[in-house]
Amino acid sequence: MTRAPTGPPRGLAAGLRFEAAPDLDPAVLAILSREGDGLARALAAWGRFRQPVRVRTTTTGAALRAAAPCPTDLNLHGLAGLDELVLLAPAAWLEPPADGELVRTLHHELAHVLLFQRCATAGSARAPWLPTWFREGMATVASEGRPPPRLRRHLGAHPALDDLPGAGEEVLGAHAQACYDVAALAFQDWYDRFGGRGLTALCAAMRAGHSFAAAFTRACGQPEATWLAGWLAGLRRDAGQR
């Protein structure tokens, strides 16, 4: 006889502490109870959480989109804020997710929360702004690992390549998978160059009140636009050589 989970684990690695909403979907609660420790250990490589993470679920995609900080038509499964993680209840997904897919979604969204908490100024009530390539790239690399090299060949010739790293709602809606793939490649290449020290320096500068652009320049010694232009040129060059 399998025991029903009584609640998410507390006092995990990386300072991760869960707070479950009273009406949290049982399937999500079960995943947190079973996988919470493993998720915390994996995320510890990316820093420490500064405050507890409240986890709640919604029962419709419309309700989840309504919780987004800006209007969106994207098919969302989760949303991350500074101290809250909102997931679409598994029964409301277009296709019922396997446990592994739920774990990956939790991992991805928790990586967002971790980065937001590392970058937010003390006392802030909302997540700081981060460009798509950095925000989604970090979460994708943290939850899925190093992106496969084959992506470089496909993306280097993408007709909207220049727009993908800083994609807004319209570009994300039109090229969602390409945006996430470019973000993963860009963040991995950035991290390979600047490493954990660069990430720590950038987060610390934002926490001190600097914008992402100013924090990037302080941490990397060059403006974000300069680094991105060189990275995009290299991506096109690599694609042309294959």
XYZ file of all heavy atoms in Angstrom, residues 59-131:
538
model
N -6.079 25.169 -12.628
C -6.783 24.074 -13.302
C -7.083 24.350 -14.773
O -7.593 23.473 -15.471
C -8.106 23.762 -12.588
O -8.909 24.960 -12.524
C -7.841 23.259 -11.184
N -6.744 25.532 -15.268
C -6.959 25.843 -16.681
C -5.781 26.626 -17.225
O -5.119 27.376 -16.490
C -8.234 26.685 -16.904
O -8.047 27.990 -16.325
C -9.459 26.004 -16.296
N -5.539 26.461 -18.521
C -4.483 27.228 -19.159
C -4.769 28.714 -19.121
O -3.848 29.531 -18.995
N -6.055 29.088 -19.219
C -6.421 30.502 -19.181
C -6.046 31.122 -17.841
O -5.548 32.248 -17.776
C -7.917 30.660 -19.436
N -6.260 30.367 -16.756
C -5.915 30.885 -15.429
C -4.410 31.048 -15.288
O -3.930 32.007 -14.670
C -6.456 29.948 -14.350
N -3.656 30.121 -15.871
C -2.201 30.224 -15.794
C -1.713 31.421 -16.596
O -0.855 32.184 -16.136
C -1.558 28.935 -16.319
C -0.033 28.850 -16.196
C 0.403 28.937 -14.739
C 0.484 27.558 -16.818
N -2.265 31.610 -17.790
C -1.864 32.769 -18.594
C -2.234 34.075 -17.902
O -1.500 35.067 -17.983
C -2.495 32.686 -19.979
C -1.883 31.617 -20.876
C -2.370 31.740 -22.309
N -3.785 31.419 -22.436
C -4.265 30.193 -22.594
N -3.426 29.162 -22.637
N -5.558 29.986 -22.711
N -3.360 34.084 -17.200
C -3.784 35.289 -16.489
C -2.826 35.633 -15.356
O -2.720 36.795 -14.954
C -5.194 35.109 -15.942
N -2.114 34.623 -14.845
C -1.150 34.855 -13.761
C 0.181 35.370 -14.274
O 1.044 35.769 -13.483
C -0.935 33.561 -12.976
N 0.389 35.360 -15.595
C 1.650 35.814 -16.178
C 1.811 37.321 -15.968
O 0.826 38.064 -15.918
C 1.694 35.481 -17.663
N 3.050 37.799 -15.844
C 3.269 39.219 -15.608
C 2.891 40.112 -16.783
O 2.706 41.310 -16.614
C 4.777 39.296 -15.324
C 5.348 38.073 -15.959
C 4.297 37.020 -15.845
N 2.768 39.534 -17.983
C 2.338 40.301 -19.138
C 1.436 39.416 -20.000
O 1.518 38.187 -19.927
C 3.525 40.808 -19.954
S 4.629 39.511 -20.532
N 0.560 40.008 -20.817
C -0.359 39.203 -21.635
C 0.396 38.219 -22.518
O 1.447 38.536 -23.084
C -1.086 40.259 -22.475
C -0.985 41.516 -21.672
C 0.351 41.452 -21.001
N -0.126 37.005 -22.642
C 0.527 35.984 -23.447
C -0.492 35.026 -24.034
O -1.529 34.757 -23.416
C 1.556 35.193 -22.620
O 2.155 34.199 -23.441
C 0.908 34.518 -21.422
N -0.194 34.520 -25.226
C -1.013 33.489 -25.855
C -0.272 32.159 -25.898
O -0.726 31.204 -26.519
C -1.380 33.900 -27.292
C -2.328 35.100 -27.320
O -3.214 35.164 -26.445
O -2.163 35.968 -28.193
N 0.897 32.085 -25.262
C 1.699 30.874 -25.290
C 1.014 29.748 -24.514
O 0.272 29.987 -23.562
C 3.079 31.139 -24.705
C 3.968 32.134 -25.455
C 5.250 32.378 -24.677
C 4.283 31.627 -26.854
N 1.292 28.521 -24.925
C 0.767 27.348 -24.232
C 1.679 27.049 -23.047
O 2.693 26.380 -23.186
C 0.700 26.158 -25.189
C 0.153 24.914 -24.522
O -0.646 25.005 -23.589
N 0.578 23.764 -24.989
N 1.338 27.572 -21.886
C 2.210 27.488 -20.716
C 1.891 26.265 -19.860
O 0.744 25.853 -19.749
C 2.045 28.746 -19.848
C 2.318 30.092 -20.518
C 2.000 31.220 -19.551
C 3.755 30.182 -21.001
N 2.936 25.715 -19.246
C 2.758 24.656 -18.251
C 3.197 25.124 -16.865
O 2.891 24.468 -15.873
C 3.562 23.411 -18.642
C 3.010 22.716 -19.836
N 3.807 22.066 -20.759
C 1.738 22.573 -20.282
C 3.051 21.552 -21.704
N 1.798 21.857 -21.448
N 3.937 26.227 -16.806
C 4.392 26.730 -15.518
C 4.820 28.176 -15.613
O 5.160 28.669 -16.691
N 4.772 28.862 -14.488
C 5.220 30.248 -14.382
C 6.042 30.395 -13.116
O 5.688 29.840 -12.061
C 4.027 31.204 -14.298
C 3.263 31.545 -15.568
C 2.030 32.373 -15.195
C 4.132 32.296 -16.554
N 7.110 31.138 -13.201
C 7.972 31.364 -12.036
C 7.982 32.836 -11.686
O 8.015 33.704 -12.559
C 9.395 30.888 -12.332
N 7.955 33.114 -10.400
C 8.108 34.465 -9.903
C 9.261 34.512 -8.926
O 10.081 33.595 -8.861
N 9.312 35.555 -8.138
C 10.413 35.719 -7.192
C 10.331 34.706 -6.048
O 11.350 34.203 -5.578
C 10.413 37.138 -6.639
C 11.551 37.512 -5.703
C 12.899 37.411 -6.414
C 11.348 38.930 -5.164
N 9.123 34.417 -5.603
C 8.963 33.483 -4.479
C 7.796 32.519 -4.686
O 7.333 31.905 -3.734
C 8.782 34.245 -3.170
C 7.557 35.164 -3.195
O 6.834 35.183 -4.214
O 7.324 35.861 -2.197
N 7.332 32.397 -5.926
C 6.189 31.533 -6.188
C 6.361 30.791 -7.506
O 6.917 31.329 -8.471
C 4.891 32.351 -6.228
C 3.651 31.499 -6.400
C 2.369 32.310 -6.341
O 2.149 33.127 -7.262
O 1.593 32.119 -5.388
N 5.889 29.573 -7.526
C 5.900 28.738 -8.724
C 4.468 28.279 -8.968
O 3.851 27.676 -8.090
C 6.826 27.543 -8.503
C 6.941 26.485 -9.589
C 7.298 27.103 -10.920
C 7.979 25.451 -9.194
N 3.926 28.611 -10.137
C 2.558 28.246 -10.480
C 2.602 27.244 -11.625
O 3.199 27.515 -12.670
C 1.725 29.475 -10.905
C 0.255 29.080 -11.069
C 1.866 30.608 -9.913
N 1.980 26.086 -11.427
C 1.973 25.032 -12.438
C 0.556 24.753 -12.893
O -0.400 24.867 -12.115
C 2.581 23.742 -11.873
C 4.050 23.770 -11.485
C 4.415 22.475 -10.779
C 4.921 23.960 -12.718
N 0.433 24.377 -14.146
C -0.841 23.896 -14.657
C -1.050 22.480 -14.126
O -0.162 21.626 -14.249
C -0.835 23.902 -16.190
C -2.136 23.511 -16.891
C -3.247 24.510 -16.562
C -1.920 23.440 -18.403
N -2.195 22.215 -13.514
C -2.474 20.879 -12.992
C -2.347 19.860 -14.119
O -2.810 20.109 -15.243
C -3.870 20.842 -12.392
N -1.694 18.733 -13.874
C -1.451 17.747 -14.938
C -2.693 17.351 -15.721
O -2.627 17.140 -16.935
C -0.868 16.555 -14.178
C -0.209 17.172 -12.995
C -1.070 18.324 -12.604
N -3.837 17.276 -15.076
C -5.070 16.875 -15.761
C -5.498 17.903 -16.806
O -6.288 17.591 -17.703
C -6.190 16.662 -14.745
N -4.970 19.122 -16.722
C -5.353 20.180 -17.659
C -4.393 20.316 -18.838
O -4.629 21.123 -19.733
C -5.452 21.515 -16.920
N -3.303 19.533 -18.847
C -2.385 19.570 -19.986
C -3.085 18.999 -21.217
O -3.967 18.133 -21.095
C -1.131 18.744 -19.693
C -0.197 19.347 -18.688
C -0.519 20.050 -17.570
C 1.229 19.272 -18.696
N 0.597 20.417 -16.874
C 1.697 19.952 -17.539
C 2.148 18.691 -19.552
C 3.042 20.074 -17.233
C 3.512 18.800 -19.249
C 3.952 19.491 -18.114
N -2.700 19.463 -22.392
C -3.313 18.946 -23.621
C -3.065 17.450 -23.758
O -3.927 16.701 -24.222
C -2.755 19.694 -24.836
C -3.138 21.168 -24.930
C -2.490 21.815 -26.157
C -4.657 21.346 -24.986
N -1.869 17.011 -23.356
C -1.541 15.590 -23.291
C -1.061 15.290 -21.883
O -0.183 15.980 -21.372
C -0.453 15.228 -24.305
C -0.882 15.411 -25.753
C 0.195 14.969 -26.724
O 1.191 14.367 -26.266
O 0.055 15.248 -27.919
N -1.636 14.288 -21.230
C -1.243 13.989 -19.847
C 0.267 13.789 -19.737
O 0.843 12.975 -20.457
C -2.003 12.694 -19.534
C -3.165 12.698 -20.481
C -2.661 13.358 -21.726
N 0.934 14.538 -18.855
C 2.394 14.427 -18.753
C 2.824 13.204 -17.941
O 2.160 12.810 -16.978
C 2.787 15.704 -18.017
C 1.599 15.985 -17.145
C 0.391 15.547 -17.945
N 3.926 12.608 -18.343
C 4.541 11.566 -17.529
C 5.230 12.237 -16.349
O 5.485 13.446 -16.351
C 5.549 10.786 -18.367
N 5.561 11.443 -15.332
C 6.236 12.007 -14.165
C 7.522 12.728 -14.548
O 7.847 13.787 -14.011
C 6.557 10.902 -13.157
C 5.341 10.515 -12.322
O 4.273 11.137 -12.494
O 5.465 9.586 -11.510
N 8.259 12.161 -15.519
C 9.517 12.778 -15.928
C 9.308 14.162 -16.508
O 10.126 15.065 -16.294
N 8.215 14.357 -17.223
C 7.933 15.663 -17.808
C 7.570 16.667 -16.717
O 7.954 17.837 -16.773
C 6.805 15.550 -18.829
C 6.645 16.790 -19.695
C 5.722 16.572 -20.874
O 5.159 15.473 -20.997
O 5.561 17.521 -21.661
N 6.844 16.208 -15.708
C 6.523 17.085 -14.579
C 7.788 17.491 -13.825
O 7.945 18.646 -13.428
C 5.558 16.384 -13.629
C 4.069 16.423 -13.979
C 3.275 15.593 -12.978
C 3.552 17.847 -14.004
N 8.687 16.532 -13.634
C 9.936 16.832 -12.939
C 10.749 17.857 -13.727
O 11.297 18.813 -13.159
C 10.758 15.550 -12.705
C 12.142 15.885 -12.158
C 10.034 14.618 -11.746
N 10.831 17.685 -15.047
C 11.589 18.641 -15.874
C 10.965 20.034 -15.804
O 11.676 21.046 -15.760
C 11.652 18.151 -17.319
C 12.662 17.037 -17.548
C 12.901 16.791 -19.025
N 11.688 16.336 -19.712
C 11.295 15.071 -19.778
N 11.994 14.132 -19.163
N 10.204 14.741 -20.424
N 9.632 20.091 -15.810
C 8.959 21.388 -15.714
C 9.260 22.051 -14.376
O 9.579 23.247 -14.310
C 7.439 21.222 -15.898
O 7.179 20.653 -17.185
C 6.725 22.559 -15.799
N 9.168 21.284 -13.304
C 9.503 21.816 -11.984
C 10.959 22.284 -11.932
O 11.259 23.371 -11.407
C 9.273 20.744 -10.915
C 7.868 20.629 -10.338
C 7.735 19.332 -9.548
C 7.553 21.831 -9.443
N 11.851 21.490 -12.478
C 13.278 21.816 -12.482
C 13.507 23.139 -13.225
O 14.222 24.031 -12.734
C 14.042 20.676 -13.145
C 15.501 20.666 -12.862
N 16.294 19.562 -13.060
C 16.349 21.638 -12.428
C 17.538 19.843 -12.738
N 17.601 21.102 -12.359
N 12.906 23.272 -14.394
C 13.064 24.472 -15.214
C 12.544 25.705 -14.471
O 13.232 26.741 -14.393
C 12.309 24.280 -16.535
C 12.469 25.407 -17.504
N 13.346 25.353 -18.574
C 11.858 26.616 -17.585
C 13.272 26.475 -19.265
N 12.372 27.270 -18.685
N 11.336 25.606 -13.936
C 10.739 26.764 -13.272
C 11.462 27.109 -11.968
O 11.614 28.283 -11.624
C 9.249 26.512 -13.017
C 8.417 26.269 -14.275
C 8.491 27.408 -15.289
O 8.708 28.568 -14.872
O 8.330 27.147 -16.492
N 11.916 26.103 -11.239
C 12.687 26.375 -10.027
C 14.009 27.058 -10.348
O 14.498 27.898 -9.578
C 12.939 25.081 -9.256
C 11.760 24.539 -8.445
C 12.054 23.121 -7.968
C 11.441 25.457 -7.258
N 14.609 26.707 -11.490
C 15.839 27.391 -11.909
C 15.567 28.875 -12.152
O 16.399 29.730 -11.811
C 16.406 26.737 -13.174
N 14.399 29.192 -12.727
C 14.020 30.599 -12.879
C 13.959 31.285 -11.519
O 14.502 32.382 -11.328
C 12.642 30.711 -13.543
C 12.646 30.528 -15.016
N 13.585 31.098 -15.848
C 11.785 29.848 -15.834
C 13.318 30.771 -17.107
N 12.237 30.019 -17.121
N 13.246 30.655 -10.572
C 13.092 31.254 -9.246
C 14.455 31.496 -8.605
O 14.708 32.563 -8.027
C 12.220 30.366 -8.343
C 12.128 30.974 -6.939
C 10.818 30.197 -8.926
N 15.333 30.521 -8.714
C 16.671 30.651 -8.134
C 17.400 31.846 -8.729
O 17.997 32.663 -8.003
C 17.467 29.368 -8.369
C 18.943 29.383 -7.967
C 19.104 29.696 -6.488
C 19.597 28.053 -8.297
N 17.380 31.966 -10.045
C 18.071 33.087 -10.689
C 17.433 34.420 -10.302
O 18.143 35.399 -10.026
C 18.054 32.899 -12.207
C 18.857 33.925 -13.021
C 20.339 33.890 -12.641
C 18.694 33.666 -14.519
N 16.100 34.466 -10.277
C 15.426 35.699 -9.872
C 15.842 36.098 -8.454
O 16.120 37.271 -8.186
C 13.904 35.511 -9.910
C 13.323 35.370 -11.291
C 12.121 34.700 -11.490
C 13.957 35.901 -12.400
C 11.572 34.569 -12.744
C 13.417 35.778 -13.685
C 12.214 35.109 -13.845
N 15.872 35.126 -7.546
C 16.219 35.444 -6.163
C 17.668 35.890 -6.040
O 17.995 36.739 -5.203
C 15.939 34.249 -5.263
C 14.451 33.960 -5.081
C 14.159 32.943 -3.998
O 15.045 32.487 -3.286
N 12.892 32.561 -3.876
N 18.545 35.334 -6.850
C 19.948 35.748 -6.802
C 20.141 37.161 -7.345
O 21.082 37.858 -6.950
C 20.824 34.781 -7.595
C 20.975 33.399 -6.978
C 22.096 32.617 -7.645
N 23.392 33.220 -7.343
C 24.548 32.815 -7.899
N 24.553 31.815 -8.766
N 25.685 33.397 -7.582
N 19.274 37.582 -8.264
C 19.445 38.875 -8.929
C 18.616 40.002 -8.313
O 18.918 41.177 -8.537
C 19.073 38.759 -10.409
S 20.218 37.762 -11.397
N 17.564 39.665 -7.577
C 16.652 40.687 -7.063
C 17.300 41.508 -5.951
O 18.077 40.993 -5.144
C 15.378 40.031 -6.543
N 16.969 42.787 -5.903
C 17.438 43.631 -4.822
C 16.762 43.221 -3.513
O 15.654 42.677 -3.521
C 17.136 45.113 -5.104
O 15.731 45.251 -5.347
C 17.898 45.606 -6.320
N 17.421 43.459 -2.398
C 16.867 43.112 -1.094
C 15.525 43.817 -0.895
O 15.394 45.012 -1.166
C 17.842 43.499 0.007
N 14.540 43.076 -0.446
C 13.229 43.648 -0.189
C 12.339 43.749 -1.409
O 11.196 44.199 -1.313
N 12.845 43.340 -2.575
C 12.040 43.410 -3.789
C 10.851 42.463 -3.690
O 10.941 41.378 -3.116
C 12.895 43.041 -5.001
O 12.110 43.048 -6.182
N 9.735 42.870 -4.303
C 8.524 42.049 -4.282
C 8.266 41.377 -5.620
O 7.312 40.611 -5.752
C 7.319 42.902 -3.884
N 9.107 41.653 -6.609
C 8.869 41.063 -7.931
C 10.182 40.647 -8.575
O 11.258 41.139 -8.220
C 8.124 42.033 -8.837
C 8.783 43.365 -9.019
C 7.886 44.328 -9.773
N 7.522 43.807 -11.083
C 6.719 44.438 -11.920
N 6.181 45.598 -11.574
N 6.448 43.914 -13.092
N 10.063 39.725 -9.512
C 11.253 39.220 -10.198
C 11.886 40.314 -11.047
O 11.178 41.107 -11.674
C 10.873 38.032 -11.072
N 13.208 40.371 -11.104
C 13.886 41.367 -11.938
C 13.783 41.004 -13.416
O 13.600 39.836 -13.768
C 15.334 41.301 -11.453
C 15.491 39.886 -10.982
C 14.167 39.503 -10.389
N 13.934 42.010 -14.263
C 13.906 41.746 -15.705
C 15.240 41.165 -16.150
O 16.311 41.665 -15.801
C 13.632 43.030 -16.490
C 13.569 42.769 -17.962
C 12.485 42.390 -18.692
C 14.674 42.843 -18.893
N 12.830 42.218 -20.011
C 14.151 42.481 -20.166
C 16.027 43.172 -18.772
C 14.960 42.456 -21.303
C 16.821 43.124 -19.902
C 16.299 42.784 -21.161
N 15.165 40.101 -16.930
C 16.336 39.463 -17.534
C 16.006 39.163 -18.991
O 14.878 38.764 -19.302
C 16.671 38.146 -16.815
C 16.990 38.228 -15.317
C 17.021 36.834 -14.711
C 18.316 38.939 -15.099
N 16.957 39.319 -19.918
C 16.667 39.030 -21.329
C 16.381 37.548 -21.539
O 16.834 36.689 -20.780
C 17.946 39.467 -22.049
C 19.017 39.399 -21.010
C 18.356 39.753 -19.714
